[in-house]
Amino acid sequence: MKDSSQRFATQMRSTPRRTEDTRDDAAGQSTKLIGKTLKKTLGEPTTSDNDWILNGMATGDVLDPDTVTSWLDNATSDSVYKGSERGFGKRWHLIDPAPTSEEGLYDGVVDTINAILRKFVLERTGSGVRRLALDTHDKKFIHKDPGENSTSPDIMVRATGPSFQIPKDDSGRDYGYSNAVTFIDVKLDENIGASVHIDQLAVYARQIFAYQPNRRFVRCFLISEKHIKLVQFDAAGTQTSELIDINAYPDLFVILLATACCADEYEVGLDDTIWWKIVGGRKVEGTLRTLNEDGEEITYHLEDVEPTAHDYDFHGRATTCWTVRHPVTDELLVIKDTWSSEGRTAEREHLVKAIGLPGVCQIVAHEERWETCDFRCPSTLSLFFNRVAERITMEAYGERIDRFKDPLQLLEALRDIVDAHAYLYEHDILHRDISTKNILLGRDKAPDGFKGILIDLSVALDFGPNGDPTVTKEARPGSRFFQSCIILGFLTKLRAGEPPAHDYLDDLEAVFYVLCGILFKKLPNGRDRKLKSKARNVVKNWDSETAQDALQTKALLFNPGCTERQVAIELVEKSWGPVCAKLFASYLEWVYEIQQKKAGLIREFRKTQIAAESDESESEDDECAQKATARSRTNPTMDQGVFTPLLLHAGKHYDDVLGIFTLAIASLRAAAGLPGPRVPKRRESKLPKNPNTVTGFGHKAARLL
């Protein structure tokens, strides 16, 4: 492992803020919009040098450069690389040197690639592994995202092996993104340098990551009649090669293609600790190899050949979760693979601090694996932010919260994750990524306190009541749908400057949006509302690409001068009943009150800031200027904890929200003839207490029953 602190301090770019990555999937987005979003998210590509291609990509175990040179030097009459008829030296004679269209290059490029694969890939393996280049420019490959999107790479290399399977769609073809080891887009040489081509490759790569959940990186190519360019996509972004003259440097041409398609799945970018048995071209069962709690290697059985959760957006954390079964005890566990920013507190450290806390996922084992710098050109290390692959084994729980069965199960789960959030905050851990996908239902017959489980501490911070409130200015994690109105407001074009630091109140507001998403998209029995349901309009556009659009529609719910608030309450009451309607109205009012208090603190901050600037501008001599500067330094800036006065009442805030849920749960239980809710035993809290109340963090709801 590199010196993380040193690397963190010397990066040329800070951790990328994924402001465009606002949706949980790409449903409803066009491929053009997906490409545009990927371009903004990935940032500018870094460029590798040719030495890395020769000495870094092509190791002796995969491909010997001397063997390549010998093959090229000993070309025969039937070789794909030989002297031209006009005697101008050797070239790849199947590739038209002067095509009039891209289509005129397809056959020659496919035949040339297959000749290289036969020599340097298939001759080296006797395991039944196959690689075959195919012309697919007019074949539609269906996207994994919900919807009707499809794309057509010009050329793909079909693969067989334990990580590849034939598509499950109704195309009838035995090739697609699920068994593509790489793909190639063909361009005329005059057009090959356009940056838009890399954006299109990113769309293809995203689908390979989606269909092949054990991918670490994808290497693909742009090819013209004269040049080739390598494009690599991974969790750190994009890396490319220079344009390489395929006739002047035929060895690089061969090495690039043969290495990207080699028989070794690890070398082509796959995680070979995950293995599937293939029958009839399809995955039927699998295993996952990792370390147990004692640091010893163990092989678990995959409960399903598909992951439990899988983030198709490969840049960033790129989280994938697997449900596995212990080979001896038969216990179900969850394995989480993710890419963490080097230099930040690793998720495992937060999970270790959270051991024993009710309502928080529990860690069993951990394994630190690769870094993105391991498979990138060393000359580019200062040009991208390195990420480290983590594998965490955790206890298994129920399904996502939006798969609830009835209102009581839903509300008990939400109450328990609010309580879990408070426990984390007491231990100076701020979650920062509250969303539907990060809240699970508890196990069957779980006791109160464990009916909802808060997961995913990958973007959590060491930030709490006993920490430094100025630790971070980053306020942008998570989907637009769950971002607080204050944060969205600072991300619009109407506001200048950095947003204030993300705090626990933003997370409690996000819990409200989780509730909204379920109330207005679901029915009390857990089924989806009809797509044309009026209730869906309440949360329509909350996940808009732009912060301004998301804020405009979300703010309507809180505006006392609009009818949307009352309409929303009536819609909840009509389908979910009066108890849930009262809970919704109470929680909405609480969030609105917090928003107003934050807005007031921002106004006071601006008055102070304007006054300080005015004093400084009126200073006429050095002494006055120095005094004005000293005064301005005592005034808070937006990143110095403008909301600190409000955050001193954390105990009351958590009590308020817990009370809203507990009262509703008591009503639902009483209506069902069940005993009242068992509130978790009161505990001594390290949270700040409201000096004007004796309740502090003492679960006020328990005393209201």
Side-chain angles (χ1 to χ4, degrees):
M1 176 63 63
K2 281 53 173 189
D3 186 337
S4 297
S5 59
Q6 183 180 16
R7 169 96 40 88
F8 191 82
T10 58
Q11 295 304 313
M12 293 181 64
R13 294 187 299 188
S14 62
T15 307
R17 290 178 173 174
R18 304 177 66 185
T19 57
E20 293 80 19
D21 181 22
T22 62
R23 298 189 178 186
D24 292 337
D25 58 52
Q29 299 185 55
S30 66
T31 55
K32 184 177 180 180
L33 180 56
I34 295 171
K36 181 180 179 181
T37 301
L38 284 170
K39 180 179 181 179
K40 292 180 179 178
T41 304
L42 294 170
E44 290 298 318
T46 61
T47 304
S48 66
D49 55 42
N50 290 348
D51 286 342
W52 175 69
I53 296 172
L54 280 170
N55 304 313
M57 285 185 62
T59 63
D61 294 335
V62 177
L63 188 64
D64 181 6
D66 291 338
T67 303
V68 175
T69 302
S70 176
W71 181 67
L72 292 169
D73 289 343
N74 296 305
T76 61
S77 59
D78 60 347
S79 298
V80 293
Y81 178 73
K82 61 183 180 180
S84 66
E85 295 178 358
R86 298 181 181 180
F88 293 133
K90 292 182 178 180
R91 68 173 185 85
W92 299 99
H93 76 96
L94 295 180
I95 300 177
D96 190 341
T100 58
S101 66
E102 293 176 4
E103 289 79 1
L105 289 168
Y106 293 151
D107 290 345
V109 171
V110 167
D111 290 344
T112 301
I113 294 173
N114 280 328
I116 293 171
L117 297 183
R118 283 193 298 270
K119 174 63 181 177
F120 295 103
V121 178
L122 302 184
E123 278 191 7
R124 293 172 58 85
T125 177
S127 62
V129 170
R130 294 289 181 267
R131 305 287 187 259
L132 180 67
L134 300 169
D135 177 355
T136 55
H137 79 279
D138 58 351
K139 306 297 188 297
K140 292 184 177 180
F141 293 177
I142 304 301
H143 284 199
K144 188 85 166 179
D145 304 278
E148 302 298 325
N149 281 343
S150 62
T151 39
S152 305
D154 290 339
I155 297 170
M156 70 160 283
V157 177
R158 184 181 62 191
T160 62
S163 293
F164 303 104
Q165 65 177 344
I166 61 177
K168 294 182 179 180
D169 56 47
D170 56 3
S171 66
R173 293 190 297 268
D174 64 352
Y175 54 89
Y177 286 120
S178 58
N179 60 355
V181 67
T182 190
F183 54 88
I184 299 100
D185 255 14
V186 177
K187 304 297 175 186
L188 293 179
D189 201 65
E190 61 194 44
N191 301 323
I192 194 173
S195 61
V196 68
H197 301 324
I198 295 180
D199 304 340
Q200 184 62 47
L201 294 181
V203 175
Y204 303 154
R206 184 176 185 273
Q207 290 307 308
I208 287 188
F209 280 105
Y211 277 98
Q212 300 173 26
N214 59 327
R215 272 280 185 168
R216 299 178 299 136
F217 59 82
V218 169
R219 287 171 177 159
C220 53
F221 303 95
L222 290 168
I223 289 181
S224 71
E225 67 272 24
K226 296 180 180 179
H227 292 94
I228 185 171
K229 177 191 282 284
L230 164 71
V231 183
Q232 175 176 303
F233 298 100
D234 54 48
T238 311
Q239 176 178 274
T240 72
S241 69
E242 298 282 1
L243 280 175
I244 297 171
D245 188 317
I246 63 176
N247 293 308
Y249 300 97
D251 53 340
L252 294 182
F253 182 62
V254 171
I255 289 171
L256 283 171
L257 292 170
T259 304
C261 302
C262 73
D264 188 326
E265 292 196 348
Y266 180 84
E267 294 294 339
V268 300
L270 291 153
D271 178 359
D272 59 1
T273 66
I274 305 174
W275 178 91
W276 289 272
K277 180 180 179 181
I278 307 296
V279 176
R282 296 274 171 77
K283 299 173 181 177
V284 295
E285 61 181 84
T287 59
L288 186 151
R289 189 174 70 254
T290 186
L291 302 180
N292 64 14
E293 59 269 29
D294 297 321
E296 300 170 343
E297 189 172 280
I298 185 172
T299 299
Y300 293 105
H301 302 293
L302 293 181
E303 186 70 2
D304 193 304
V305 295
E306 297 294 334
T308 308
H310 181 40
D311 189 350
Y312 301 166
D313 290 321
F314 55 88
H315 176 257
R317 300 192 303 274
T319 301
T320 302
C321 295
W322 307 87
T323 301
V324 299
R325 195 171 288 276
H326 196 284
V328 177
T329 67
D330 210 37
E331 177 188 9
L332 282 179
L333 298 165
V334 172
I335 307 289
K336 178 180 179 180
D337 289 329
T338 191
W339 293 89
S340 304
S341 298
E342 182 185 353
R344 285 194 171 178
T345 303
E347 182 179 12
R348 71 178 183 279
E349 296 183 34
H350 294 308
L351 288 172
V352 169
K353 287 174 65 176
I355 289 176
L357 297 185
V360 182
C361 59
Q362 296 295 291
I363 187 171
V364 174
H366 170 266
E367 179 184 2
E368 194 171 273
R369 314 183 75 205
W370 320 286
E371 302 176 59
T372 50
C373 63
D374 293 339
F375 41 81
R376 282 184 164 224
C377 178
S379 67
T380 67
L381 293 186
S382 63
L383 303 177
F384 66 90
F385 199 95
N386 191 40
R387 287 186 173 270
V388 180
E390 281 191 300
R391 172 166 284 174
I392 298 173
T393 304
M394 299 174 288
E395 294 181 2
Y397 303 97
E399 296 187 280
R400 278 177 29 158
I401 193 169
D402 55 358
R403 294 169 187 166
F404 66 96
K405 296 178 181 178
D406 56 60
L408 180 59
Q409 185 185 35
L410 169 67
L411 299 190
E412 288 179 330
L414 286 174
R415 176 207 58 191
D416 285 355
I417 69 96
V418 170
D419 201 37
H421 194 280
Y423 273 115
L424 286 172
Y425 193 59
E426 286 181 9
H427 288 74
D428 297 323
I429 301 173
L430 180 64
H431 190 281
R432 298 201 314 156
D433 195 16
I434 299 295
S435 69
T436 306
K437 66 182 181 181
N438 288 336
I439 302 173
L440 301 181
L441 299 169
R443 298 189 184 99
D444 290 342
K445 299 180 181 180
D448 283 353
F450 299 87
K451 293 182 181 294
I453 303 295
L454 190 57
I455 66 170
D456 194 355
L457 304 185
S458 57
V459 296
L461 288 176
D462 294 317
F463 184 89
N466 307 294
D468 180 2
T470 69
V471 68
T472 180
K473 295 186 292 183
E474 290 185 276
R476 307 187 186 185
S479 165
R480 281 282 185 258
F481 193 99
F482 305 103
Q483 284 179 326
S484 71
C485 286
I486 288 293
I487 288 177
L488 286 173
F490 274 89
L491 297 179
T492 65
K493 295 180 180 179
L494 298 178
R495 293 272 182 92
E498 289 286 342
H502 189 111
D503 57 53
Y504 72 88
L505 292 170
D506 295 306
D507 278 359
L508 290 179
E509 187 171 336
V511 175
F512 175 68
Y513 298 141
V514 170
L515 176 67
C516 289
I518 293 174
L519 292 178
F520 297 112
K521 292 182 179 181
K522 296 275 189 177
L523 293 170
N525 59 8
R527 295 181 180 177
D528 292 336
R529 290 184 185 268
K530 294 181 179 179
L531 293 178
K532 295 183 179 180
S533 170
K534 291 182 179 179
R536 285 181 174 270
N537 292 329
V538 176
V539 294
K540 185 178 181 181
N541 296 326
W542 282 18
D543 61 347
S544 294
E545 289 298 315
T546 64
Q548 188 157 329
D549 289 343
L551 177 61
Q552 287 177 347
T553 55
K554 189 178 288 187
L556 290 175
L557 191 62
F558 300 100
N559 191 336
C562 296
T563 61
E564 277 76 6
R565 178 189 298 212
Q566 187 57 38
V567 169
I569 295 172
E570 292 171 358
L571 286 168
V572 174
E573 184 168 7
K574 183 178 179 179
S575 55
W576 285 76
V579 172
C580 290
K582 184 176 180 180
L583 176 145
F584 171 73
S586 298
Y587 204 166
L588 186 153
E589 188 61 35
W590 183 86
V591 171
Y592 177 67
E593 181 181 346
I594 295 297
Q595 291 174 349
Q596 294 301 104
K597 289 180 178 179
K598 281 192 169 184
L601 290 170
I602 290 173
R603 286 193 296 270
E604 291 300 317
F605 158 75
R606 285 178 174 161
K607 289 180 182 179
T608 304
Q609 191 178 46
I610 291 172
E613 292 173 353
S614 176
D615 287 346
E616 187 171 356
S617 64
E618 293 176 1
S619 299
E620 296 181 354
D621 53 47
D622 292 342
E623 183 178 355
C624 290
Q626 291 173 2
K627 291 180 179 180
T629 300
R631 283 195 300 272
S632 68
R633 287 173 179 169
T634 65
N635 295 323
T637 59
M638 192 60 73
D639 60 299
Q640 290 178 331
V642 66
F643 298 141
T644 298
L646 187 59
L647 303 183
L648 294 175
H649 305 285
K652 180 181 185 302
H653 294 150
Y654 279 107
D655 268 343
D656 288 343
V657 176
L658 287 168
I660 291 170
F661 278 106
T662 304
L663 290 175
I665 291 167
S667 297
L668 291 177
R669 282 188 169 180
L674 299 172
R678 298 187 301 276
V679 179
K681 183 179 179 181
R682 180 175 179 177
R683 60 194 185 276
E684 288 297 322
S685 173
K686 296 184 291 184
L687 288 174
K689 293 183 173 65
N690 183 351
N692 298 318
T693 178
V694 297
T695 62
F697 186 69
H699 291 290
K700 178 172 61 178
R703 294 183 294 281
L704 295 176
L705 300 176

